[in-house]
Amino acid sequence: MILYFRLFKESFAFAINALRNNKLRTFLSLLGVTIGIFSIIAVLAAVDSLDQSIKSQLSGLDKNTIYLTKFSFGPTEVPRWQRDNYPQTENSDYEFVNRNIPNIKSSAYIIFGNSETIKYQDNTISNVNVAPGSYGIYDIEDLKIGKGRFYTESESSTGAPVIVLGAELSDNIFDNEEPIGKQIRIYGRKVTVIGVIKKVGASLFDSPDEKAYLPSNFVRQFTNGGSDGIPGAVVIKPEAGVDIEAFEQVLRQRFRAYRGLKADEPDNFFVNKLSGMTDAIDNIIGVMNLAGWIISGFSLLVGGFGIANIMFVSVKERTNLIGIQKSLGAKNRFILFQFLFEAIILAVIGGLIGLTFVWIVALIATQVVDDFEFILSFWNMFLGFSLSTLIGLISGVLPAISASKLDPVEAIRTGM
């Protein structure tokens, strides 16, 4: 054990000596390892950070949440012309579902595709993301009130002219004024601000910070319904512990009967589950990881060849020393491990430089990007260190074997 420790110490000294005596050559050779490790760990850290951000944003949402509507959230075999002829999902569908489907914790009717202008005195804000929905949307989207309150079930049913604003939207409209109780104009009508959603921060999806919530029944009073009207959906959050497949089957059967569909007729609606969206996100993240590995793999390959080149040159430069060591009784495995350790140390140095760059970039990015934290996990750092070691091991095998097999007499003669 003491022998191998001494061997490792000498190999480390040789590696450092190679860095000192051949700075440019060593730098160029290690650059591939550094870039490769930086690329892989940076991609993995970015994807992990993105994954955690998405999961934190979806943490308040139930993956079993169902969107009953005329269009599909994902790929479908139903042709476009057929989907266009499906009846629009309307408030009456929501009322039927609410009355006739068991095991529902919360449900809501929402209206899609609303971008409106909001006015308050001389202040006008265009392209505001408006989210008309019935009372149940508060629980389904796991909203939190920062000021005031959300509209009640009674206000939702009667279509009261009230509105709840996102934190950013409220600040933009009212500056430093107190928003609660103020009247603003939207859809050309006056509505009263009764609440402000608690600030959430940046989001990959529609952040509630910049949205406006108001009762869907209020919007239905002056917008077009029917097949050519604004699309809507019934959003359903099942009770906890419910068999989601059985729940979906009951929903489908009863809604088919409500729509008057015969047994041989296909559905004229789609049952979209939120879990399908999260699965799609997981697939995208998996593809991003794979792409990062493939792209970075080429850099690692170049780095590996660079380390091998250094070691072959090192073997040639130290041929005389190898011959002397062998003539003094050094065994083949001693010479082999000497060069193998040296290759590993050089690769690890390149890897550590790459990890340092990733750490610096992560710190800077976290400061620059608002409400987004770049995570450099221990696992990713360990992975980078392990990859560096593996690259050094693979790159140093052939040079180390060639050095260990040198004939001592020929080595001394060649090196003179």
Side-chain angles (χ1 to χ4, degrees):
M1 181 61 69
I2 296 176
L3 177 65
Y4 284 106
F5 179 77
R6 185 181 302 168
L7 178 61
F8 182 83
K9 183 179 178 181
E10 290 179 1
S11 299
F12 183 79
F14 277 122
I16 297 301
N17 190 55
L19 286 171
R20 288 174 179 170
N21 297 336
N22 305 284
K23 294 182 178 65
L24 181 59
R25 185 184 71 193
T26 307
F27 169 75
L28 293 175
S29 298
L30 292 183
L31 190 60
V33 177
T34 300
I35 293 175
I37 295 298
F38 173 83
S39 301
I40 287 179
I41 305 307
V43 168
L44 292 179
V47 172
D48 285 349
S49 303
L50 183 64
D51 188 30
Q52 179 167 310
S53 177
I54 292 172
K55 287 179 178 177
S56 66
Q57 291 170 26
L58 294 176
S59 61
L61 300 178
D62 190 339
K63 288 186 178 182
N64 292 328
T65 299
I66 292 173
Y67 288 77
L68 185 67
T69 186
K70 69 172 289 184
F71 50 85
S72 175
F73 287 0
T76 176
E77 296 179 357
V78 181
R80 176 67 180 271
W81 66 266
Q82 191 171 342
R83 282 178 280 151
D84 289 343
N85 289 325
Y86 284 177
Q88 192 67 264
T89 308
E90 300 188 31
N91 191 70
S92 56
D93 298 323
Y94 157 71
E95 292 174 350
F96 169 81
V97 168
N98 224 16
R99 289 193 307 265
N100 295 278
I101 307 300
N103 301 317
I104 292 180
K105 181 181 179 181
S106 301
S107 63
Y109 177 70
I110 62 174
I111 298 175
F112 292 116
N114 279 268
S115 180
E116 294 294 329
T117 298
I118 291 181
K119 294 183 179 181
Y120 173 69
Q121 295 179 354
D122 295 331
N123 195 1
T124 300
I125 299 180
S126 303
N127 299 317
V128 175
N129 187 0
V130 181
S134 55
Y135 171 76
I137 201 64
Y138 179 75
D139 178 59
I140 292 171
E141 291 196 8
D142 193 35
L143 300 174
K144 300 289 189 299
I145 291 294
K147 292 181 181 179
R149 62 178 178 85
F150 202 75
Y151 46 82
T152 65
E153 192 165 1
S154 174
E155 289 170 326
S156 173
S157 299
T158 59
V162 293
I163 192 167
V164 179
L165 304 174
E168 290 286 342
L169 180 59
S170 175
D171 291 342
N172 292 335
I173 295 173
F174 296 104
D175 293 329
N176 295 322
E177 287 189 53
E178 172 59 43
I180 307 302
K182 297 289 194 309
Q183 284 196 329
I184 61 176
R185 295 188 72 87
I186 186 170
Y187 296 104
R189 291 165 170 76
K190 288 184 178 181
V191 295
T192 303
V193 179
I194 61 170
V196 176
I197 301 294
K198 187 176 181 180
K199 186 175 177 63
V200 174
S203 173
L204 296 171
F205 308 98
D206 289 335
S207 173
D209 292 348
E210 299 175 355
K211 292 173 73 173
Y213 294 85
L214 65 169
S216 52
N217 278 351
F218 170 72
V219 178
R220 289 178 57 243
Q221 296 172 15
F222 47 83
T223 54
N224 294 329
S227 58
D228 297 327
I230 299 174
V234 179
V235 190
I236 306 161
K237 183 177 182 179
E239 292 179 351
V242 169
D243 184 335
I244 192 62
E245 292 185 3
F247 180 88
E248 184 180 343
Q249 187 175 8
V250 170
L251 172 64
R252 193 181 300 274
Q253 289 175 347
R254 295 191 180 181
F255 199 68
R256 281 178 57 85
Y258 170 72
R259 285 274 177 96
L261 297 174
K262 298 179 181 178
D264 58 342
E265 290 180 321
D267 293 344
N268 58 3
F269 56 89
F270 287 98
V271 178
N272 300 287
K273 285 189 291 188
L274 191 62
S275 58
M277 184 176 67
T278 58
D279 291 342
I281 291 172
D282 288 340
N283 290 335
I284 292 171
I285 288 174
V287 171
M288 291 171 63
N289 269 323
L290 179 61
W293 275 97
I294 293 173
I295 294 170
S296 306
F298 288 105
S299 296
L300 289 175
L301 188 63
V302 172
F305 283 125
I307 297 293
N309 178 60
I310 289 179
M311 297 315 300
F312 275 119
V313 172
S314 184
V315 170
K316 186 175 181 180
E317 290 177 345
R318 284 152 50 190
T319 300
N320 182 267
L321 179 59
I322 294 169
I324 294 173
Q325 288 178 327
K326 283 201 166 189
S327 66
L328 293 175
K331 295 182 180 180
N332 287 351
R333 65 179 180 181
F334 179 87
I335 304 299
L336 185 142
F337 282 123
Q338 178 180 310
F339 283 92
L340 204 55
F341 284 164
E342 185 176 337
I344 291 173
I345 290 167
L346 286 172
V348 167
I349 290 172
L352 290 176
I353 295 172
L355 285 173
T356 303
F357 284 155
V358 175
W359 178 71
I360 293 172
V361 170
L363 284 178
I364 295 173
T366 300
Q367 296 297 322
V368 172
V369 181
D370 294 334
D371 302 310
F372 191 85
E373 182 182 2
F374 285 84
I375 303 167
L376 182 58
S377 66
F378 173 79
W379 165 249
N380 284 336
M381 295 179 68
F382 175 76
L383 180 62
F385 182 83
S386 301
L387 281 174
S388 301
T389 304
L390 183 62
I391 292 165
L393 181 63
I394 295 173
S395 303
V397 167
L398 290 179
I401 291 175
S402 67
S404 67
K405 290 184 177 181
L406 286 174
D407 180 82
V409 177
E410 285 294 326
I412 294 173
R413 184 184 301 162
T414 305
M416 294 178 65

